Amino acid sequence: MGLPRGDPARSWTTSRPPALTERLLRRCLPPGITGDSILGDLREEYLLDLRAAGPVWAGLRHLRKALSVATRFVGRPPAIPSRDDHQRTHREGPMSTLFNDLRYAFRSLAKSPGFSAVVVLTLAVGIGANVAMFSIVDAVLLQGLSFPEANRLVLGRTTYAGQIAWNVSSEDYYDYRDRVEAFSSLAAIRSSAGDLTVTGGEEPERVPAIMVSVNLFRTLRVAPQLGRDFVPDDAELSAPGVALISYGYWQRRFGGDPEAVGSTMTVAGVPVTVVGVMPVGFFFFQNVDIWQPLRPGGPWTGVRRFHNWTLVGRLADGVTLEQAQAQVDVVSAQLQEAYPDSNTDKGLNVSALQAVLVDEYDGMLLTFMAAIGFVLLIACGNVAGLLLARGSARVRELSVRAAMGATGGRLARQLLGESLLLALVAGVLGTFLALWLQSVALRAIPLEYAGITELGLSGAMLAFALLLSLATAVLFGLIPAWSAARANLGANLVSGARTTETGKGARLRSGLVVLQVALSLVLLIGSGLLVRSFVRLNGVDPGFEASGLLTARISLPTSKYTDPQQGIAFFDGLLEDVRAIPEVRSAGLISLLPLKDGYSNVGAWDPEDPPPGPRDVVLAEQRIVAPGYFDAMGIPVRLGRDFLDPVTGESEFVMAVNETMARGLFGDESPVGRMVAVDVGNDEPALARVVGVVGDVRMTGLAREPQRQMYFAFGQAAPATLSMAVRTGGDPAALTSAVRQVLRARDPDIPLGSVATMEDVVWDAVATPRVLTAALSAFALVALFLSALGLYSVLAFYVVRRVHEIGVRVAIGATGRRVVGMILYRGLVLVAVGLVVGLGGAVFLTRFLQEQLYEVQARDPLTFGAVSVGLLCVAVLACLVPAWRAVRVDPVRALQAE
Amino acid sequence: MPPRFLGEFEQMVLLATLQLKENANAVSILRELDARAGRSVSRGTLYKTLERMEAKGLVVWEAEEGPPERGGHPRRLFRVTGRGIQALQESREAFRRLWEGLDEAVGESES
């Protein structure tokens, strides 16, 4: 996002105790001189401790003493009327009542530490997960961008006949910038960042960099914290090279030295002066360390047909989004008329930037939030059940209290106090857990577009944690409290019953179980769908052999390698050296590796059957490869051949195409030997002869069907940056240092960048669905476990309550099977109702998952059926344990017990 | 009517108050208990005990203006009343009678 979050730390060097503690203590102490003198005593001791042990210990000891004093005085009338009181003061204000209830609750819960621990941990997990998720949702969806007046920022995206395509061409950008007055400022940022080689330090390094228009930061209203922003002169092609660097890079490379501003570093072989440092935590669209100015006539500019830029604008004062769109449409019409070849049917969509960014994530995040909310509800259901059981087991204690004058309301309040205490402790634990879960979630969910790279504790998060804890306390505490308040406790005292459960209590617990089963089923079905989808996705053939491959990126500084032939010779020699490494089986080079390095596409067509107009040109992904690439990657050559030696080989401009492109251009005919027209940015297309057809490759994502793909020989195109793929029989990562050495021997100024095994690349490509599936499955399993536990405890209690009845049945001849059947029936009725409710809920809710599913329908009957059966089996197991115990009831003992 | 017996802690507080003569306030009583009897007491317990003994008429207090480090809060100086002294005497006598003849027995045991 824009500016750093978080409050600065407060220091604790003070010569008096914290005012808040004193204020709270004053409310607990008796009025007049007595209370005053006690405050004075504590203050005097605080100063002594401060001198002896420092502020931290003094503060802690003061707190301890204050608590000790407060608990003694709160809620109790003074032993005698205070000497300086004029009337008895009986402290029964809300604060002292609450304090009393909490103290009573603490003592009561401390008597059952195991029970309390189970409840607190159960709730802490549920609360922690919800708080973590909330903090992410808050940052992404609620907070918004943290630039000044961020609601005035807009995103400009190209449209074709109304369909949004995102990228804009540089030439279109300049026209919109100059002609549309609705924007106080319109900026451009290159759509994808790239790593550039920076030398001049100890070692050459690959640093993420991006080009932006010189007015970008002014548009965002963010100024560098050191040095200056770009100025219009920096946009001149002839101007000296300049750059802005990130705070992090400034610290890493320059040690935070202010002299960095004005210093020179060599970026991609070109000397560049650092003119400024961006503020700490600044982030916009891409995680980069270097920003360089976009220059008309420079890289990625000049061709109206090539769309490489993202537009960000700020609305002028008083201008609405609709007004801006109207003005933009006028300019779009002018461009369509002036440039029919490139701009027919082309327009620019103007949308609120915040809304577009949120759109990327809200589906996924809200799914998470709902799932985690379900888990918490189920946990609350369990805890409510436990408390109900505990409440009914304490009927004697509650009856005595009622006999001594406690009203139903008072008892209910005391029980709610227990719930509150449990929930608050769980809330505190859960908040710590949330901080850890946050870091896990951020590593797993890619949220860079929304600008989230770190989170931490925020006020909103703490407030949410508190509210959730209170709501949880009410949710699971209300039912037992209400149940206790309505119970006929007097009758229980007379009857001497030690434990009982009113019909109402049993029905409540049964109702809770039904709800838990239903919620669990929804979660399980959701996770089942995701698992099926993920398995399908994982099983997708990427079109190459990922195992045993090491990949890396190598960039030649163009200042050193000015002649393309030098670059070709360098890479050719490097390939030879790498292939000579003993463990290497094969090696290849490509401009952009599949699934890793982004994309590049241009129009291509059959020159004998050209498209009717510019709008009908189909784009194809273009890559430049060295001979041996297909072999190294395990991409089959279906027809024809690979490219020949890059230096001496080909006699004409050649290409290879994938099967999809072959079919698309030439149908069933063999494309080998045919010519293809390729838009290379000139007025006339280049003509290339097809020498081979290779297998389809998933270039930009496993879930995306392969598009048309074409490959050019690197001897004929000579890019300065290539990715290397090296195949070995053993562990590819072990090759890294050998490859690095070989590269260093060729040129010590060139680093080996972006090193990764191809298996890791493919693994990362499915990161989001993997995380979603894993997380939802974990939630679903926790939910299942909790529900099974809830079902088990309801039935176990049922058995305990019915011991006498079971004893009678067995005594008069009921077999074990009948007893088991009786218990099972009871349990399965609940499960059946829960299943029906859950299925209905799932049918309604799973459609929100459809976006995340790959080749699986949201209402897939197989998943619904299998999951329901699975849950039923688990439920049967949960019922069998108490049923088994029922069978083992000794009828003689059971009859005697009554 | 004076109480027949004092609790152990009440006795300690009264004795510490007497030891401190005119300087017996809550803070100094706590330190006196710690120094002489090795007893570390919670603040709440001390204040409640003083309050209870005041109710029984065993101690009284007078307020004086506190020094600046007390932030303007007064200081209560406690004094053992005649009744309090009588209660101490009775307790001491009761213990003395209970201890009679036990010197040897107690003296022989290992502590």
Side-chain angles (χ1 to χ4, degrees):
Chain A
M1 302 296 238
L3 301 170
R5 301 177 196 275
D7 291 325
R10 294 163 131 236
S11 72
W12 257 82
T13 52
T14 173
S15 59
R16 52 167 288 186
L20 181 64
T21 318
E22 285 199 321
R23 267 204 300 275
L24 287 171
L25 191 54
R26 190 182 283 279
R27 289 177 67 88
C28 303
L29 292 173
I33 295 176
T34 306
D36 247 352
S37 70
I38 294 175
L39 280 175
D41 292 338
L42 289 178
R43 202 184 267 212
E44 196 178 320
E45 286 192 285
Y46 173 80
L47 285 174
L48 292 170
D49 287 335
L50 187 66
R51 276 178 224 132
V56 175
W57 278 116
L60 287 171
R61 282 180 192 159
H62 182 263
L63 190 61
R64 183 169 54 91
K65 291 169 195 172
L67 279 171
S68 160
V69 171
T71 49
R72 288 288 177 173
F73 279 100
V74 160
R76 293 186 179 165
I80 54 165
S82 173
R83 271 169 45 169
D84 43 15
D85 284 348
H86 296 296
Q87 56 192 355
R88 274 192 91 98
T89 54
H90 183 63
R91 214 165 266 282
E92 264 293 308
M95 173 104 174
S96 74
T97 314
L98 176 66
F99 210 91
N100 267 341
D101 287 341
L102 286 175
R103 193 170 43 182
Y104 167 78
F106 180 78
R107 286 203 193 125
S108 171
L109 291 170
K111 285 185 206 154
S112 341
F115 167 86
S116 307
V118 164
V119 168
V120 163
L121 284 174
T122 307
L123 293 175
V125 168
I127 292 175
N130 276 274
V131 170
M133 208 55 231
F134 171 80
S135 69
I136 295 175
V137 166
D138 178 49
V140 175
L141 303 183
L142 300 177
Q143 284 279 335
L145 301 164
S146 56
F147 301 115
E149 287 188 279
N151 58 336
R152 302 292 291 166
L153 289 173
V154 298
L155 190 68
R157 294 176 291 177
T158 296
T159 60
Y160 288 103
Q163 295 284 335
I164 293 178
W166 197 286
N167 285 357
V168 183
S169 73
S170 58
E171 306 311 295
D172 288 343
Y173 159 63
Y174 292 132
D175 286 325
Y176 286 116
R177 183 196 64 183
D178 296 339
R179 301 189 203 180
V180 176
E181 288 172 358
F183 302 123
S184 63
S185 163
L186 185 65
I189 177 169
R190 178 86 172 82
S191 300
S192 53
D195 285 355
L196 297 181
T197 302
V198 178
T199 47
E202 282 176 19
E203 290 261 348
E205 50 177 342
R206 301 278 292 166
V207 181
I210 202 165
M211 295 186 104
V212 301
S213 60
V214 294
N215 62 349
L216 174 70
F217 301 117
R218 262 187 300 283
T219 305
L220 298 175
R221 293 205 189 145
V222 177
Q225 71 172 57
L226 202 64
R228 66 164 178 84
D229 194 353
F230 292 135
V231 293
D233 284 348
D234 292 328
E236 296 296 321
L237 202 55
S238 53
V242 293
L244 283 163
I245 60 175
S246 70
Y247 180 86
Y249 190 59
W250 178 48
Q251 292 293 323
R252 282 197 313 276
R253 185 189 168 94
F254 298 97
D257 183 4
E259 298 295 313
V261 175
S263 68
T264 307
M265 52 185 195
T266 308
V267 179
V270 175
V272 151
T273 304
V274 176
V275 297
V277 177
M278 293 308 289
V280 59
F282 174 77
F283 176 100
F284 188 66
F285 261 102
Q286 304 277 358
N287 206 7
V288 297
D289 286 324
I290 297 177
W291 292 268
Q292 289 184 287
L294 157 66
R295 291 174 168 176
W300 310 108
T301 68
V303 182
R304 205 172 277 270
R305 292 193 301 282
F306 289 173
H307 303 83
N308 304 305
W309 298 89
T310 299
L311 262 51
V312 176
R314 184 175 283 279
L315 293 172
D317 287 338
V319 175
T320 64
L321 200 62
E322 291 72 26
Q323 288 167 338
Q325 183 69 67
Q327 284 193 25
V328 158
D329 290 343
V330 166
V331 174
S332 299
Q334 292 168 354
L335 295 176
Q336 283 169 17
E337 207 181 304
Y339 308 102
D341 283 349
S342 57
N343 282 52
T344 301
D345 285 342
K346 191 166 37 157
L348 187 77
N349 167 273
V350 179
S351 308
L353 178 61
Q354 171 68 19
V356 173
L357 292 179
V358 160
D359 231 10
E360 290 270 313
Y361 294 105
D362 59 354
M364 179 173 69
L365 289 180
L366 291 176
T367 304
F368 264 130
M369 194 101 213
I372 297 173
F374 276 14
V375 172
L376 183 60
L377 280 175
I378 293 173
C380 286
N382 254 19
V383 171
L386 284 171
L387 281 174
L388 269 174
R390 188 163 177 266
S392 65
R394 288 163 69 191
V395 73
R396 185 153 192 89
E397 175 200 337
L398 297 176
S399 305
V400 168
R401 286 185 156 254
M404 285 172 63
T407 61
R410 182 91 179 108
L411 288 175
R413 228 173 48 224
Q414 284 174 343
L415 290 181
L416 266 179
E418 286 182 21
S419 308
L420 189 62
L421 189 60
L422 286 168
L424 285 175
V425 173
V428 168
L429 279 179
T431 305
F432 282 112
L433 181 65
L435 287 173
W436 177 73
L437 286 173
Q438 256 179 9
S439 61
V440 168
L442 281 178
R443 271 202 297 277
I445 308 173
L447 289 174
E448 298 90 13
Y449 251 21
I452 313 293
T453 45
E454 60 175 26
L455 281 167
L457 202 59
S458 68
M461 191 173 156
L462 282 174
F464 181 77
L466 181 63
L467 280 172
L468 192 64
S469 304
L470 292 173
T472 307
V474 167
L475 262 175
F476 72 77
L478 201 59
I479 295 174
W482 177 73
S483 168
R486 301 282 296 262
N488 190 354
L489 295 167
N492 289 321
L493 252 188
V494 170
S495 75
R498 264 191 242 118
T499 158
T500 187
E501 191 165 67
T502 63
K504 207 167 269 176
R507 275 200 295 279
L508 279 172
R509 292 186 70 199
S510 303
L512 282 172
V513 167
V514 166
L515 203 59
Q516 287 178 307
V517 168
L519 288 172
S520 300
L521 186 69
V522 172
L523 280 179
L524 284 165
I525 288 176
S527 100
L529 289 169
L530 284 172
V531 165
R532 281 196 77 193
S533 163
F534 183 69
V535 166
R536 294 242 165 113
L537 193 61
N538 233 14
V540 164
D541 178 10
F544 53 84
E545 271 300 315
S547 62
L549 266 181
L550 178 73
T551 70
R553 200 139 173 86
I554 297 145
S555 189
L556 300 185
T558 44
S559 59
K560 202 167 167 185
Y561 295 82
T562 48
D563 181 1
Q565 294 306 315
Q566 283 178 299
I568 295 170
F570 174 88
F571 278 119
D572 196 37
L574 180 66
L575 258 187
E576 220 178 281
D577 292 344
V578 169
R579 284 170 181 154
I581 298 172
E583 295 85 12
V584 170
R585 284 189 184 164
S586 53
L589 292 165
I590 185 172
S591 51
L592 298 168
L593 262 175
L595 301 178
K596 189 184 179 196
D597 289 334
Y599 66 94
S600 169
N601 42 29
V602 291
W605 59 91
D606 176 4
E608 292 175 22
D609 182 21
R615 282 283 298 118
D616 303 295
V617 172
V618 177
L619 297 180
E621 307 210 19
Q622 60 168 354
R623 300 288 186 271
I624 299 165
V625 299
Y629 167 77
F630 299 122
D631 177 50
M633 288 290 286
I635 299 172
V637 177
R638 303 274 191 222
L639 284 176
R641 62 169 176 80
D642 194 353
F643 297 120
L644 302 176
D645 181 281
V647 179
T648 58
E650 306 289 353
S651 53
E652 57 178 335
F653 190 35
V654 294
M655 71 192 299
V657 298
N658 70 339
E659 293 165 297
T660 301
M661 185 158 177
R663 265 195 311 275
L665 288 183
F666 305 111
D668 291 328
E669 293 174 25
S670 166
V672 177
R674 300 285 294 268
M675 303 298 284
V676 173
V678 182
D679 181 359
V680 293
N682 298 331
D683 293 334
E684 290 298 319
L687 289 174
R689 188 176 300 283
V690 178
V691 297
V693 178
V694 298
D696 287 339
V697 168
R698 303 263 166 162
M699 286 285 192
T700 53
L702 286 181
R704 289 193 65 195
E705 290 296 317
Q707 307 295 300
R708 294 183 181 188
Q709 293 155 7
M710 51 191 181
Y711 300 88
F712 299 101
F714 109 103
Q716 296 180 332
T721 301
L722 289 171
S723 281
M724 180 178 282
V726 185
R727 183 170 291 285
T728 176
D731 175 20
L735 278 181
T736 311
S737 60
V739 171
R740 191 172 271 133
Q741 269 173 7
V742 155
L743 175 63
R744 191 174 285 144
R746 286 245 149 210
D747 189 334
D749 283 340
I750 301 177
L752 192 70
S754 308
V755 179
T757 67
M758 202 63 202
E759 278 179 320
D760 285 344
V761 169
V762 173
W763 185 243
D764 285 343
V766 292
T768 304
R770 184 177 71 237
V771 162
L772 197 57
T773 306
L776 209 60
S777 302
F779 300 150
L781 287 173
V782 168
L784 180 64
F785 171 73
L786 289 173
S787 305
L789 205 60
L791 180 63
Y792 160 80
S793 67
V794 155
L795 285 179
F797 212 75
Y798 174 79
V799 166
V800 162
R801 208 158 45 89
R802 292 266 195 281
V803 152
H804 179 76
E805 180 192 334
I806 295 171
V808 167
R809 283 177 186 252
V810 169
I812 61 175
T815 60
R817 263 180 34 194
R818 284 204 70 152
V819 172
V820 167
M822 180 178 117
I823 309 298
L824 267 183
Y825 173 76
R826 173 96 189 168
L828 290 180
V829 160
L830 296 179
V831 171
V833 176
L835 279 178
V836 167
V837 174
L839 281 171
V843 162
F844 176 69
L845 289 172
T846 49
R847 64 190 148 117
F848 295 110
L849 270 185
Q850 187 65 71
E851 223 174 73
Q852 318 292 340
L853 298 175
Y854 175 71
E855 291 196 353
V856 173
Q857 285 307 307
R859 291 182 190 178
D860 177 45
L862 181 61
T863 308
F864 272 61
V867 168
S868 302
V869 168
L871 187 112
L872 198 59
C873 294
V874 171
V876 166
L877 281 172
C879 298
L880 277 178
V881 177
W884 172 245
R885 276 157 134 206
V887 164
R888 298 180 64 196
V889 161
D890 179 354
V892 173
R893 280 230 188 103
L895 289 169
Q896 280 174 350
E898 193 62 11
Chain B
M1 183 174 144
R4 291 182 60 199
F5 294 110
L6 292 172
E8 181 209 38
F9 185 62
E10 286 176 330
Q11 285 188 66
M12 284 188 160
V13 171
L14 287 175
L15 290 170
T17 308
L18 283 171
Q19 289 280 3
L20 289 165
K21 300 189 174 51
E22 277 94 40
N23 296 321
N25 58 73
V27 178
S28 60
I29 292 172
L30 282 164
R31 293 166 91 181
E32 189 73 9
L33 285 170
D34 189 32
R36 283 187 182 260
R39 179 112 176 212
S40 180
V41 181
S42 83
R43 301 302 174 272
T45 305
L46 176 67
Y47 287 123
K48 272 301 175 183
T49 305
L50 286 169
E51 194 182 37
R52 201 167 51 242
M53 292 198 297
E54 185 191 1
K56 292 179 192 173
L58 305 175
V59 295
V60 290
W61 54 262
E62 291 293 330
E64 69 167 14
E65 200 178 308
E69 56 260 29
R70 289 175 67 89
H73 297 294
R75 180 188 273 155
R76 288 185 297 167
L77 294 172
F78 290 88
R79 182 173 60 78
V80 181
T81 61
R83 203 184 262 182
I85 291 187
Q86 189 181 354
L88 273 173
Q89 288 168 342
E90 288 186 3
S91 290
R92 186 178 59 176
E93 183 58 25
F95 270 104
R96 193 191 61 74
R97 287 198 293 272
L98 282 166
W99 271 97
E100 248 174 33
L102 290 178
D103 286 346
E104 264 195 48
V106 174
E108 280 166 8
S109 65
E110 308 242 341
S111 59

